[in-house]
Amino acid sequence: MRKKTALIHGGTGVDQATGAVTPPIYQTSTYKQEKIGKLKGYEYSRTANPTRTSIETLIADLEGGVRGFAFGSGMAAIHAVFQLLSSGDHIVMTDDVYGGTYRLMKRVLPKFGIEVTFVDTTDLKATEEAIQPNTKMLYLETPTNPLLKVTDIEAVSHLAKSYELTVVVDNTFSTPYFQQPLALGADIVLHSATKYVGGHSDVVAGLVVVKDENLGEDLHFIQNSTGGILGPQDSFLLVRGLRTLGIRMDAIEETAHALVDFLKTQDSVTKIFYPGLADHPGHATQAKQATGFGGMISFDVGSAENAERLVEATRYFTLAESLGAVESLISVPARMTHASIPAERRAELGITDGLVRISVGLEDVEDLKEDLEQAFSLLTKFSEKNV
Ligand SMILES: *Cc1c(COP(=O)(O)O)cnc(C)c1O
């Protein structure tokens, strides 16, 4: 089955009980037992629910893993994965991870004796040097947010194997349509399904897929014991979202390239971050390990004032956090998604005050270009006024 077909025919398929072609929403907490302990595979919905099984099976198929898990948010999924560790363990992690992941590492996990070292995982030597005797996990995000740095998953996984580390990849930005980290050597892949998987800005959810049964049993034990599960309605929405992931990503990719070409013509843009650009440092790696460059573009407009003016002037690019939906979104990472990261640390990472991030949606590309054009024209006037 090729990818676009797997999005539609993968997973549990037609409902066995009724023949329904879309997964029924099993809005039930418990299941009748014919006799004590005689069940039809379901006992209590924290442990398992058939609608949740639909999305968990589908994402496992799409990522090429053995078992999938759906959680109430991306952060709940990420936290569940860290619960595979014990007090005293150490994680090596990509330095510019999602702000919420950074906060979890800095403010929650230390209370439980789990330590982290942040490192530029695009640098294999630096990554190896960050490994300690108590390191158990190597956690990658690629491409990153908002600078779209690309880590070579295969090379890092190869390194991790020699130290017996579990490799985890946050695959939110590339989606299983473009990139399958398990095939590149990772052990666990996870998503904020709130983004491209759901795809319509109408659900908050997280997904995890593991490469083998042992990890599957461990993670199911954690999911059932800690209880951060996704409900049946939201599970249904994720299956529905995934059906169109292929055509959405193809269209988003095409528009992203057109918008990058447009941004290149703008005088006020001092720098563009997009892995699809031949001069982006991660271009070759992304081209090797993924089948697309994605729909996230960041660019620098030189100052906080310019960034604010631009994002408040667009009509079709909605000023909002989040990404990966049908509507195009625009944001200023330093003041929105990455505001919880101290200014000093943002400066170290290169997240400047003039950095603007867009998530390309499915609108007509000409409207999106015109929208940016009118916003950029205000920007020029604004900066002239301030000369
Ligand atoms: C949004 C996001 C998360 C967190 O997911 P939530 O669904 O918001 O909890 C994690 N990683 C990345 C890359 C994200 O973009």
Side-chain angles (χ1 to χ4, degrees):
M1 236 192 290
R2 292 166 182 82
K3 283 184 191 169
K4 273 189 189 136
T5 311
L7 289 164
I8 292 155
H9 294 282
T12 45
V14 170
D15 182 52
Q16 292 300 312
T18 63
V21 296
T22 56
I25 300 168
Y26 284 95
Q27 196 74 49
T28 186
S29 60
T30 191
Y31 305 81
K32 179 181 156 122
Q33 309 198 1
E34 291 304 328
K35 293 177 179 219
I36 294 176
K38 188 164 184 281
L39 299 148
K40 294 179 172 158
Y42 293 91
E43 179 177 16
Y44 183 64
S45 282
R46 170 161 34 72
T47 313
N49 169 285
T51 319
R52 201 172 87 226
T53 304
S54 305
I55 181 60
E56 291 180 334
T57 313
L58 180 56
I59 193 67
D61 285 358
L62 298 175
E63 288 287 7
V66 300
R67 200 156 168 186
F69 301 92
F71 292 89
S73 70
M75 288 320 304
I78 293 167
H79 188 219
V81 167
F82 292 141
Q83 284 163 5
L84 292 166
L85 300 173
S86 305
S87 178
D89 288 349
H90 174 253
I91 306 168
V92 171
M93 183 174 275
T94 300
D95 55 5
D96 58 341
V97 280
Y98 177 72
T101 309
Y102 180 80
R103 181 173 56 199
L104 178 69
M105 302 317 299
K106 288 301 247 193
R107 303 204 26 208
V108 181
L109 294 187
K111 294 200 283 188
F112 301 94
I114 294 171
E115 285 176 36
V116 63
T117 299
F118 292 102
V119 63
D120 178 358
T121 50
T122 68
D123 180 342
L124 205 59
K125 190 164 169 281
T127 305
E128 183 162 20
E129 280 164 11
I131 298 171
Q132 305 176 4
N134 62 339
T135 306
K136 293 286 163 57
M137 191 176 270
L138 219 154
Y139 184 102
L140 308 175
E141 197 175 303
T142 177
T144 60
N145 176 23
L147 295 175
L148 302 154
K149 279 160 59 179
V150 179
T151 293
D152 187 329
I153 299 171
E154 199 166 15
V156 171
S157 299
H158 186 73
L159 167 75
K161 289 281 126 64
S162 56
Y163 291 89
E164 295 180 15
L165 310 181
T166 303
V167 177
V168 182
V169 179
D170 182 335
N171 201 27
T172 301
F173 271 35
S174 281
T175 83
Y177 183 67
F178 283 151
Q179 176 170 281
Q180 291 159 312
L182 299 182
L184 298 165
D187 302 292
I188 300 176
V189 56
L190 58 86
H191 291 272
S192 168
T194 313
K195 317 295 169 52
Y196 290 107
V197 169
H200 295 75
S201 299
D202 53 10
V203 59
V204 173
L207 296 171
V208 181
V209 177
V210 298
K211 71 144 201 235
D212 66 34
E213 290 295 349
N214 284 344
L215 278 171
E217 275 177 27
D218 290 351
L219 208 64
H220 184 254
F221 177 77
I222 288 166
Q223 186 191 40
N224 189 40
S225 302
T226 60
I229 52 154
L230 192 66
Q233 285 273 353
D234 289 349
S235 296
F236 168 85
L237 284 171
L238 293 190
V239 173
R240 184 184 168 108
L242 277 174
R243 303 281 195 228
T244 56
L245 183 72
I247 54 165
R248 281 192 283 118
M249 294 316 291
D250 286 346
I252 284 171
E253 170 97 8
E254 198 181 322
T255 302
H257 284 278
L259 292 182
V260 165
D261 287 342
F262 167 81
L263 288 170
K264 283 191 208 156
T265 68
Q266 296 302 304
D267 293 338
S268 29
V269 174
T270 59
K271 198 156 186 197
I272 304 171
F273 301 87
Y274 183 63
L277 283 169
D279 62 359
H280 183 281
H283 178 76
T285 307
Q286 185 73 7
K288 179 184 77 167
Q289 69 189 8
T291 54
F293 298 102
M296 299 303 296
I297 306 164
S298 293
F299 53 95
D300 207 312
V301 290
S303 69
E305 295 72 32
N306 271 354
E308 182 171 344
R309 183 75 171 190
L310 185 82
V311 302
E312 289 180 0
T314 51
R315 267 174 62 205
Y316 298 129
F317 285 91
T318 304
L319 176 59
E321 295 192 357
S322 199
L323 59 109
V326 293
E327 59 279 314
S328 293
L329 301 177
I330 194 161
S331 67
V332 178
R335 291 180 56 193
M336 297 167 68
T337 46
H338 292 63
S340 66
I341 296 176
E344 211 172 88
R345 172 108 189 110
R346 282 201 306 265
E348 272 167 34
L349 296 171
I351 303 170
T352 57
D353 292 347
L355 194 74
V356 173
R357 186 190 84 177
I358 57 179
S359 167
V360 177
L362 295 177
E363 299 91 341
D364 191 298
V365 62
E366 295 308 321
D367 285 325
L368 293 179
K369 275 198 258 179
E370 280 171 23
D371 191 24
L372 287 176
E373 203 157 25
Q374 62 81 23
F376 273 116
S377 76
L378 295 175
L379 201 88
T380 317
K381 273 188 222 134
F382 178 70
S383 45
E384 278 165 3
K385 207 168 63 193
N386 280 281
V387 170

